[in-house]
């Protein structure tokens, strides 16, 4: 379980997060909904220890992220897959190489084992047969799927999604949501999703919360009123 406890963050005079608290329980998907620029990505970076909060703490599986050593953070991040909004794929590397990279850097797997894991991950994200393609030849939705695959490479317990359906057409966004739901329901991944996409929030969220003016509140299912 991931517990965010009274986390606050400001940049100069701008309060981005103000006493934010919530829990993401194992095997569930928590969606944090809000307009662009409300601090959703900042919150994900604090959860994974890339940014320190000004106040408060994040507790992951009983350990406070803010008290972890560099070595502890490295081990923790193996349990947390991060899907960047930009995908952050390496354009000079094939799909296979993008996914295999973390396995080669952080495990002692033999080449055959790496190959088996990459193929397994591509099957999970429904991108079988794309191993030899380069990111430049992929659609936006396909790039997002490969990015999810890369986040899954080390078989993390948690996945953090930063705007996973932003800018995609409805069919591609729906496909991404199906994959996310399968990872939760069939593979028991706990996820935190930050998005401004109301439709996707409804499709994937077990719990939906709203981040606005630094504050977070639980939302009901009538999400259309949230940006009023």
């Amino acid at each position: 379980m991931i517990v965010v406890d009274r986390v606050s963050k400001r940049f100069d005079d701008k309060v981005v997060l103000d006493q934010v608290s919530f829990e993401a329980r194992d095997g569930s998907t928590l969606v944090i909904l809000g307009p662009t620029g409300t601090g959703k990505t900042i919150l994900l970076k604090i959860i994974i220890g890339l940014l320190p909060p000004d106040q408060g703490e994040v507790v992951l599986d009983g350990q406070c992220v803010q008290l972890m050593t560099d070595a502890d953070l490295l081990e923790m991040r193996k349990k947390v897959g991060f899907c960047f909004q930009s995908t952050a794929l390496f354009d000079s590397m094939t799909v296979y190489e993008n996914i295999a990279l973390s396995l080669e850097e952080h495990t002692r797997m033999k080449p055959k084992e790496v190959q088996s894991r990459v193929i397994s991950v591509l099957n999970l994200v429904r991108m079988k047969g794309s191993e030899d393609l380069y990111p430049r030849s992929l659609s936006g939705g396909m790039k997002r799927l490969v990015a999810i695959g890369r986040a899954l490479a080390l078989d993390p317990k948690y996945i953090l999604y930063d705007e996973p359906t932003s800018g995609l057409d409805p069919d591609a966004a729906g496909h991404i949501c199906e994959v996310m739901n399968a990872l939760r329901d069939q593979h028991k991944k706990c996820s935190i999703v930050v998005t401004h996409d109301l439709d996707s929030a409804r499709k994937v969220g077990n719990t939906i919360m709203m981040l606005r003016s630094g504050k977070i509140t639980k939302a009901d299912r009538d999400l259309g009123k949230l940006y009023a």
Side-chain angles (χ1 to χ4, degrees), residues 124 126 177-188:
L124 286 178
R126 306 175 188 180
C177 291
E178 289 173 5
V179 169
M180 293 166 65
N181 285 338
L183 292 173
R184 177 194 64 208
D185 298 338
Q186 298 172 26
H187 301 278
K188 308 306 177 186

Side-chain angles (χ1 to χ4, degrees), residues 57-74:
E57 64 180 13
V58 176
V59 179
L60 193 149
D61 288 345
Q63 292 184 291
C64 177
V65 172
Q66 284 67 50
L67 296 179
M68 289 182 180
T69 64
D70 289 343
D72 292 336
L73 284 171
L74 182 61

Side-chain angles (χ1 to χ4, degrees), residues 38-86:
T38 53
K40 303 187 300 299
T41 299
I42 297 298
L43 178 57
L44 291 187
K45 289 181 177 180
I46 289 173
I47 290 172
I48 204 171
L50 293 175
L51 278 177
D54 296 331
Q55 294 179 317
E57 64 180 13
V58 176
V59 179
L60 193 149
D61 288 345
Q63 292 184 291
C64 177
V65 172
Q66 284 67 50
L67 296 179
M68 289 182 180
T69 64
D70 289 343
D72 292 336
L73 284 171
L74 182 61
E75 288 303 309
M76 177 271 286
R77 288 171 186 154
K78 293 177 183 178
K79 299 195 298 182
V80 185
F82 198 113
C83 296
F84 296 89
Q85 181 179 357
S86 65

Side-chain angles (χ1 to χ4, degrees), residues 185-204:
D185 298 338
Q186 298 172 26
H187 301 278
K188 308 306 177 186
K189 303 297 183 185
C190 173
S191 301
I192 298 176
V193 183
V194 301
T195 184
H196 67 271
D197 184 339
L198 301 177
D199 187 54
S200 294
R202 290 190 181 97
K203 288 179 178 176
V204 303

